[in-house]
Amino acid sequence: MNEKTRSIDGDVLNEEITLTYRYSLGEVAGKFMAGLRDGKILATRCSKSGMVYLPPRSFCERSFEKCDSWVEAALEGVVEASTIVVRGFEGSRPPPVAIAFVRLDGVDSAIANYVEEIDLSDVEVAMQTIAVGARVRVKFIEKPTGSVTDFYFVPAS
Amino acid sequence: MVETVGVLGTYQSNFKTREVDKTFAEQAQGAALGVLDASNMNPDDVDAIVFSLAPTAFMGVADADRWCIDHIFGAGKPMMRVHTGGATGGSAVHAANSLVRSGIFRSVMIVGAERISETPDAQKVLNQIFDPFYEKEMPLQTITTVAMMANAYMQRHGVKQEDLAHLVVRQRRSAMNNPHAHLKGEITIDDVMASPMISYPLKLFDCCPRSSGSAAMIIGNMDMVRKHQSHPAFINGTGGVSDSNWIGDRIVPTAHADFIDWKLMRVAGAECFRRAGIDDPINQIQVAEVYDAFSIQGLTQLEQLGFCSSGTAFRLERENAWDVNGAVAVCPSGGTLCSNPIAVSGLVRAIEAANQVMGTAGGHQVANVHNAVATSVGGIAQFLNCTVFGNDYVRTN
């Protein structure tokens, strides 16, 4: 806690608290983030269950065995769920923004990210381009920093 | 040897945006006093306390169960906190039920309070439940993830936004008979459709309010029932289940339990109904207080609980099947959609179901209720639970 301000305002006590965290990536997420810097999306695979996980896991939740190999995911896949966030969220980007969970080819699970290069002026029309089953492909930002938003999805066609 | 467990009394405050006359601990105390009064009990009659407390970042005091010990007469008694997000209240009832059913205690008070509007940063708080490496940079939180589930469900089953709006109109109308409800009133489908889009397809009126308030229930064994309650509701069935934290694992062909259709509730419901001897829910259960923080959420559970087949609940909504006078009264209280004090919302569902069985629901009492079901949902549907209350004790296990 590096900052704390308090003030009484009528019948209310105001307090502002700022917290700082340092999250350890660990080996698996660390390797994934390093892969992004090389333009690769790396998944883990469990040879016992055959499951390929993205985000990558150290352990397979089906076989209860260690995921024992790394697989490079295809840079194209299918939308499994999506929405357009119109208002009410003070995230890193001002709304409207499109987000989707996409199952990349060769991977069993879906990973979330922004969908760009779609016209969001008509939300109804935009939703159809990212509906469940729509094909999208991965694009990388110009200078990847080793963060999940180094990549984003765009419509495949 | 297991003990029979009955509800001795319940209490809930009126839910509203802000509680300015009381602190959090005083709110919890109001619920404790209220439920002792409703149960005709003194603090000494309560053997143990289960405190229903969800994320405390909304109200700012971490682990506020400690703050409340004295206020709820907990000093000198066994007391534990239960926390499974929005499912907290339901899980708290299950924990208390186990404590009485096992014979460890004669009676247990379940009590809690909530004040979400203590911070203007509630959305930021809800974003903190996501994975910091892969998810948190996106605007992922409860509304946006439920919106994603809603789009997929509606696409799969041909459900329209107007169908969701029909439910909102019904439940806001039902809430007019419930003095505790936060949002209530006569609105139209057009009003819902015209409310601001938040995250497609969910509009403002498809979403619950941020509520403050408190609630409590006391349950006890048959000795306590004989002393304190002439018309008890028996806890006949409980079922609870959890699933992977990874949403992306739960919406794909290899999913354990498909999140889009809420298949996980089928697992919790089957366990609960088996225990309660329910094999024909639509004919055996008269009231369903399903946990619906969003308009899409309650009826999908109803499908998995076996009240109708998958994908048909919103068609039946348009045919008024879930009205107070329909096949099953769904959320006659207005539901979580009209009042969402997160820490106790699941408890309020259980209280509403028990009250309907005990005949004490007041203005929104449904006639001839023998069995009522309550559900609650926590996280991004990682925690689901289901409870059946009945006016006859059923022992199937």
Side-chain angles (χ1 to χ4, degrees), chain B residues 357-397:
Chain B
V357 169
M358 295 161 85
T360 57
H364 57 289
Q365 177 68 47
V366 175
N368 303 317
V369 178
H370 301 293
N371 291 300
V373 62
T375 67
S376 61
V377 177
I380 307 301
Q382 270 90 24
F383 300 107
L384 266 63
N385 58 56
C386 181
T387 312
V388 166
F389 297 87
N391 58 4
D392 287 324
Y393 178 59
V394 176
R395 177 181 298 214
T396 60
N397 64 343

Side-chain angles (χ1 to χ4, degrees), chain A residues 82-83 86-87 89 124 147 149, chain B residues 137 141 151 197-198 200 248:
Chain A
S82 57
T83 186
V86 178
R87 58 169 61 77
F89 303 93
E124 299 271 348
S147 162
T149 45
Chain B
E137 281 191 65
Q141 47 84 286
N151 281 321
M197 185 64 75
I198 305 290
Y200 193 93

